[in-house]
Amino acid sequence: MELKDIFPVWEQLTPIQQTKLTESAVRRSVKKGTVLHRGSADCIGLLLVQQGQLRAYMMSEEGRQITLYRLFEFDICLFSASCMMNSLQVDVFIEAEKDTRLWVIPAEVYKKVMEASAPLSNYTNEIMAARFSDVMWLMEQVMWKSFDRRLADFLLEERALEGTDTLKLTHEAIGNHLGNPREVVTRMLRYFQNEGMVQLSRGTVEITDMAKLAELAGHGKR
Amino acid sequence: MELKDIFPVWEQLTPIQQTKLTESAVRRSVKKGTVLHRGSADCIGLLLVQQGQLRAYMMSEEGRQITLYRLFEFDICLFSASCMMNSLQVDVFIEAEKDTRLWVIPAEVYKKVMEASAPLSNYTNEIMAARFSDVMWLMEQVMWKSFDRRLADFLLEERALEGTDTLKLTHEAIGNHLGNPREVVTRMLRYFQNEGMVQLSRGTVEITDMAKLAELAGHGKR
């Protein structure tokens, strides 16, 4: 997989612009758990996922977290290059959720090409709009949706991502995804267990009644 | 005030592009309380505020609201033209908080110019990045900040906007700004009153101890 496979507007760039991006791009392989970007503390550049899975999250001063969205194969992360836009002031953290291979394009190189190329600039706009839409959706969830529905939704999403009913997740990890304290997660999972929807054991949540969980998450209503 | 005064990149557009935008722009005057844009129900175009004040907010299925940000003189609203980007799927509502004069540029006209113009596209990117940053900030507030601090913050912001200590605001209106039910607002305002920070009367909140309110909002710590 090459850069041209990731950027749909590649053919609309000039040869010089293509060369600039290609020559500046650095391949990296990171282990699961690696934190690639820490809010406003760095500006490492655009991340282009070749293989693996990244997680974008927000963190409070006290260390509480909430997952904003995931990045998969072919996805591009702009927020690790937020210094390329004056108005982009977001404290997003990025970590590898699985072993991940990616390219890094330095922010200043990307910025220069984007400033001269309407196609790349418009494409960047679309990426940002997509992430913005993700965050607005999450905001709606957090504001208006009860925690039991959000937790049910999250477990079903994890099941789909991992392809198994047996999820290796601590209650603290779930809390870090959903932005809730561990105790709140534990209490709700125990309720789910009493209702026969999950089976809990150390570090594992096993989904035992997917239909009931999906009903709680309100999937039928969509 | 003309379009060229609002767009800092105006001089970098071609004369044809300038004419396209100018000829398609429609002047509108709307009364306080007018809802200009209703989520995904319409795509009226870009709004450029000439004079007045707009409020962008989110609304739940049950009609609960939360203010995302305000738009003032010279500000541009993209979300009323979200159909110009495929990936922009946000259900934002826009209403006039004061009598407002504005321009409306049809989404398809703006889109065409933006697709051909790197400067306009990059500028649009900056606008979106700024709104994104606003929403991320708000998300942090909602996730990690207690309601008493958010309410104190809001009252101080209103005071600055209106230039008076006597704010004409119902408890329901405050709830619609902050995304909380009216009863929660009433309870907290009564606590503020007991603490001597505000004086309540029908439809009015009078700030009586700004220093104490600012301390609660944590302004000293910034």
Side-chain angles (χ1 to χ4, degrees):
Chain A
M1 197 199 289
E2 300 298 322
L3 281 192
K4 66 175 164 51
D5 303 317
I6 291 189
F7 283 106
V9 296
W10 191 259
E11 297 304 323
Q12 296 175 60
L13 299 177
T14 67
I16 292 175
Q17 290 168 341
Q18 292 176 352
T19 308
K20 261 192 195 166
L21 292 177
T22 310
E23 288 187 349
S24 71
V26 177
R27 277 176 202 267
R28 278 185 70 178
S29 288
V30 293
K31 288 280 168 207
K32 177 180 170 173
T34 308
V35 178
L36 286 158
H37 170 63
R38 294 168 193 275
S40 50
D42 63 68
C43 185
I44 55 168
L46 259 82
L47 307 180
L48 295 77
V49 182
Q50 218 181 331
Q51 197 176 52
Q53 183 175 319
L54 303 180
R55 177 172 86 100
Y57 59 101
M58 235 167 54
M59 191 150 70
S60 75
E61 285 170 21
E62 294 79 26
R64 284 178 61 191
Q65 304 181 4
I66 180 168
T67 299
L68 297 171
Y69 49 82
R70 262 79 173 256
L71 296 159
F72 304 99
E73 213 176 284
F74 290 106
D75 277 342
I76 296 175
C77 177
L78 295 177
F79 298 115
S80 46
S82 59
C83 57
M84 74 181 179
M85 283 183 222
N86 298 327
S87 316
L88 195 58
Q89 285 157 1
V90 293
D91 279 355
V92 171
F93 290 67
I94 311 283
E95 73 165 9
E97 271 195 313
K98 298 186 176 169
D99 291 351
T100 302
R101 283 193 298 146
L102 66 155
W103 273 283
V104 183
I105 299 180
E108 67 276 18
V109 175
Y110 191 85
K111 184 183 180 179
K112 278 220 173 120
V113 177
M114 183 175 76
E115 278 173 354
S117 162
L120 190 66
S121 175
N122 278 285
Y123 181 63
T124 309
N125 247 324
E126 287 285 348
I127 299 172
M128 187 148 60
R131 297 296 161 246
F132 199 161
S133 305
D134 289 345
V135 169
M136 287 290 290
W137 178 87
L138 179 63
M139 179 102 181
E140 283 181 22
Q141 302 296 307
V142 168
M143 288 301 301
W144 323 124
K145 204 168 166 182
S146 59
F147 180 61
D148 57 345
R149 292 183 64 172
R150 290 183 60 222
L151 180 57
D153 227 356
F154 172 75
L155 294 175
L156 292 171
E157 197 187 308
E158 284 302 302
R159 181 184 178 276
L161 271 178
E162 300 298 329
T164 170
D165 282 324
T166 308
L167 307 172
K168 291 202 185 312
L169 280 167
T170 63
H171 300 188
E172 190 177 355
I174 297 174
N176 283 344
H177 279 293
L178 298 176
N180 296 83
R182 187 190 53 74
E183 310 84 68
V184 174
V185 175
T186 298
R187 197 165 41 199
M188 191 61 80
L189 281 174
R190 285 195 184 138
Y191 166 76
F192 282 13
Q193 183 168 253
N194 288 340
E195 295 288 310
M197 295 186 277
V198 302
Q199 181 66 46
L200 305 177
S201 54
R202 184 175 288 275
T204 308
V205 179
E206 189 191 344
I207 295 174
T208 49
D209 190 340
M210 210 195 88
K212 201 165 172 184
L213 213 52
E215 195 187 350
L216 174 60
H219 285 191
K221 293 187 207 156
R222 279 185 192 168
Chain B
M1 198 198 288
E2 300 299 323
L3 282 193
K4 66 175 165 52
D5 302 318
I6 291 189
F7 282 107
V9 295
W10 191 258
E11 297 304 324
Q12 296 174 62
L13 300 176
T14 67
I16 292 175
Q17 290 168 341
Q18 291 176 351
T19 307
K20 262 192 192 164
L21 292 178
T22 310
E23 287 187 349
S24 71
V26 177
R27 277 175 201 267
R28 277 184 70 179
S29 288
V30 293
K31 287 281 168 204
K32 177 180 171 173
T34 307
V35 178
L36 285 157
H37 170 62
R38 294 169 193 275
S40 49
D42 63 68
C43 186
I44 54 168
L46 260 82
L47 307 180
L48 295 77
V49 181
Q50 217 180 331
Q51 196 176 53
Q53 184 174 319
L54 303 180
R55 176 172 87 100
Y57 60 102
M58 236 166 55
M59 190 150 70
S60 76
E61 286 170 20
E62 295 77 27
R64 284 177 61 192
Q65 304 181 4
I66 180 169
T67 298
L68 296 170
Y69 49 82
R70 262 80 173 255
L71 296 159
F72 304 98
E73 212 177 285
F74 289 106
D75 277 341
I76 296 176
C77 177
L78 296 177
F79 299 114
S80 47
S82 59
C83 57
M84 74 181 180
M85 282 183 223
N86 298 327
S87 315
L88 196 58
Q89 284 155 4
V90 293
D91 280 355
V92 170
F93 290 68
I94 311 283
E95 73 164 10
E97 271 195 314
K98 298 185 176 170
D99 292 350
T100 301
R101 282 194 299 145
L102 66 155
W103 273 284
V104 183
I105 299 180
E108 67 274 19
V109 174
Y110 191 85
K111 184 184 180 180
K112 280 220 171 119
V113 176
M114 183 175 74
E115 279 172 357
S117 162
L120 190 65
S121 176
N122 278 286
Y123 182 63
T124 309
N125 248 324
E126 287 284 348
I127 299 172
M128 188 150 57
R131 296 298 160 245
F132 200 160
S133 305
D134 288 345
V135 170
M136 287 289 291
W137 179 88
L138 179 62
M139 179 103 180
E140 283 180 24
Q141 302 296 306
V142 168
M143 287 300 301
W144 322 124
K145 204 168 167 182
S146 59
F147 180 61
D148 56 344
R149 291 183 63 173
R150 291 183 58 223
L151 179 57
D153 228 355
F154 172 74
L155 294 175
L156 292 172
E157 197 187 310
E158 283 302 303
R159 181 183 178 276
L161 271 178
E162 300 298 329
T164 168
D165 282 325
T166 308
L167 307 173
K168 291 201 185 310
L169 281 167
T170 65
H171 300 187
E172 191 177 354
I174 296 173
N176 283 343
H177 279 292
L178 298 176
N180 295 81
R182 186 190 54 73
E183 310 83 68
V184 174
V185 174
T186 299
R187 199 166 39 202
M188 191 62 79
L189 281 174
R190 284 193 186 139
Y191 166 74
F192 282 12
Q193 183 167 253
N194 288 340
E195 295 289 310
M197 295 186 277
V198 303
Q199 180 67 46
L200 306 176
S201 53
R202 185 175 286 275
T204 307
V205 179
E206 190 191 343
I207 295 174
T208 48
D209 189 340
M210 210 195 87
K212 202 166 172 183
L213 213 53
E215 193 186 352
L216 174 59
H219 285 191
K221 293 187 206 157
R222 282 188 190 166

